[in-house]
Amino acid sequence: MRNRAVLALTFTIAAACGGDWPSPPPKIGQQSWSGPDAILIRAPLAGGPARAYRWGRDSAVWTSADPAPALTRFLAFDEDQGVMLYVDAKGTPGGLDLRLRTVTPAARAPLQSLASVDGWAAFGISGKQEVTRLTPSGDWKHGTAFTPQMLLPQPDGSLIMLNDLGDRSVLRRLIPPESRIVDTASVPTAT
């Protein structure tokens, strides 16, 4: 295993989820860390089973039943469902289910500008230049006259689409599954 290239992302998981410490803090006086264990999820760059390790330990505490594809990055983690969204080397999003130990592609084709804020919904732009939302309960598509340059999902479930038009940036907000734009703003282009 020492010769395998590994992509890693740290998550703190309590009962399969939760927390925000990157590593357990040191003991303070007589008290020691009593929160959730820090967990390191490792997925081989070339593909294969994903594994979870307790922070600072070298033996796996969890291994996926399905092999993961070659991954480029993780998008987000859904603490409620125990699912980590990823992007594979082809640009296709998928989910690593920590409870069921499964690895499932979320789309059949690659998407551009992939983003997620909650690990439940992934937004991207399809080859047909449609904005697409992928969720476990179903997919949604939104055709638009301006293909967004950036998708900014929000914690309330809405989506902000950003376009730079010359010296102005146009922000359009919608709330899927509705396709109606509910807010717009135009501001000077910023870096």
Side-chain angles (χ1 to χ4, degrees), residues 149-150 162-171 186-191:
Q149 293 168 309
M150 184 180 286
L162 171 70
N163 286 91
D164 285 333
L165 303 174
D167 62 346
R168 306 290 295 170
S169 290
V170 178
L171 302 159
S186 175
V187 297
T189 299
T191 55

Side-chain angles (χ1 to χ4, degrees), residues 76-128:
F77 181 62
D78 180 349
E79 293 183 23
D80 295 330
Q81 299 301 316
V83 175
M84 207 169 12
L85 292 182
Y86 64 79
V87 180
D88 70 15
K90 297 176 185 174
T92 306
L96 175 62
D97 191 313
L98 301 178
R99 293 181 180 152
L100 299 177
R101 299 178 40 213
T102 58
V103 179
T104 309
R108 290 187 175 94
L111 297 172
Q112 300 298 316
S113 302
L114 280 162
S116 177
V117 72
D118 57 10
W120 183 78
F123 291 89
I125 299 172
S126 72
K128 297 178 181 178

Side-chain angles (χ1 to χ4, degrees), residues 12-62:
T12 302
I13 300 177
C17 316
D20 62 355
W21 286 95
S23 63
K27 285 186 176 185
I28 300 172
Q30 295 297 323
Q31 296 179 352
S32 64
W33 173 247
S34 62
D37 289 335
I39 302 292
L40 175 71
I41 304 293
R42 301 175 82 187
L45 284 176
R51 291 184 171 82
Y53 300 84
R54 279 203 176 123
W55 187 260
R57 307 265 167 80
D58 61 355
S59 58
V61 294
W62 175 92

Side-chain angles (χ1 to χ4, degrees), residues 117-149:
V117 72
D118 57 10
W120 183 78
F123 291 89
I125 299 172
S126 72
K128 297 178 181 178
Q129 303 305 306
E130 295 175 312
V131 175
T132 302
R133 180 185 74 170
L134 306 167
T135 67
S137 59
D139 300 344
W140 168 85
K141 295 182 187 296
H142 173 69
T144 178
F146 299 107
T147 300
Q149 293 168 309

Side-chain angles (χ1 to χ4, degrees), residues 1-27:
M1 180 187 274
R2 68 177 207 233
N3 291 332
R4 294 171 95 180
V6 178
L7 174 67
L9 179 65
T10 302
F11 283 99
T12 302
I13 300 177
C17 316
D20 62 355
W21 286 95
S23 63
K27 285 186 176 185

